[in-house]
C-alpha cells in the first residue's frame, strides 16, 4: 500500500497581465514557497487576496500546490525471495 509524506507547499497567485496579439488573456503565475503545511485554506485565501491586491493586476485564481513523496508502506514491503 502506498504511503504519502508531505514535502512542501506553495501559494500560487494567477493574474492577468495583458492580452496576447490575438486578443487572448495573458496570464502570470506568482509563486510563494515555504508555506506552512498547517496553514488553513481560509488563511491561504486571505493571504492570496492581499498579495493579489499588491500585485495590482486582475486576479484570476489562487491555488495551493502541495508536493508529496509517495513510497511503499514498510509493513507491506515484500522483497522478492531467491531460492537457495
Amino acid at each position: 500500500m502506498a504511503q504519502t509524506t508531505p514535502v512542501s507547499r506553495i501559494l500560487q497567485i494567477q493574474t492577468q497581465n495583458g492580452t496576447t496579439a490575438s486578443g487572448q488573456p495573458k496570464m502570470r503565475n506568482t509563486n510563494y514557497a515555504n508555506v506552512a503545511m498547517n496553514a488553513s485554506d481560509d488563511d491561504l485565501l486571505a493571504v492570496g487576496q492581499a498579495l493579489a491586491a499588491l500585485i495590482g493586476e486582475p486576479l484570476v485564481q489562487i491555488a495551493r500546490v502541495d508536493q508529496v513523496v509517495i513510497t511503499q508502506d514498510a509493513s507491506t514491503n515484500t522483497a522478492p525471495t531467491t531460492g537457495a
Side-chain angles (χ1 to χ4, degrees), residues 15-30:
T15 56
Q16 181 181 345
N17 68 334
T19 56
T20 64
S22 64
Q24 296 297 316
K26 194 163 118 180
M27 303 298 177
R28 177 194 327 236
N29 289 332
T30 306

Side-chain angles (χ1 to χ4, degrees), residues 2 4 9-10 13 17-18 21-22 25 30-31 38 45 50 54 57 63 66 72 74 79 81 84:
T4 60
R9 178 169 284 174
I10 295 170
I13 299 171
N17 68 334
S22 64
T30 306
N31 295 321
N38 62 351
L45 179 62
L54 294 174
E57 298 170 348
D66 292 335
Q72 188 171 1
T81 58

Side-chain angles (χ1 to χ4, degrees), residues 28-42:
R28 177 194 327 236
N29 289 332
T30 306
N31 295 321
Y32 298 92
N34 301 318
V35 174
M37 296 302 287
N38 62 351
S40 72
D41 290 339
D42 289 333

Side-chain angles (χ1 to χ4, degrees), residues 4-8 37 66-70:
T4 60
T5 305
V7 176
S8 67
M37 296 302 287
D66 292 335
Q67 181 181 17
V68 297
V69 172
I70 303 171

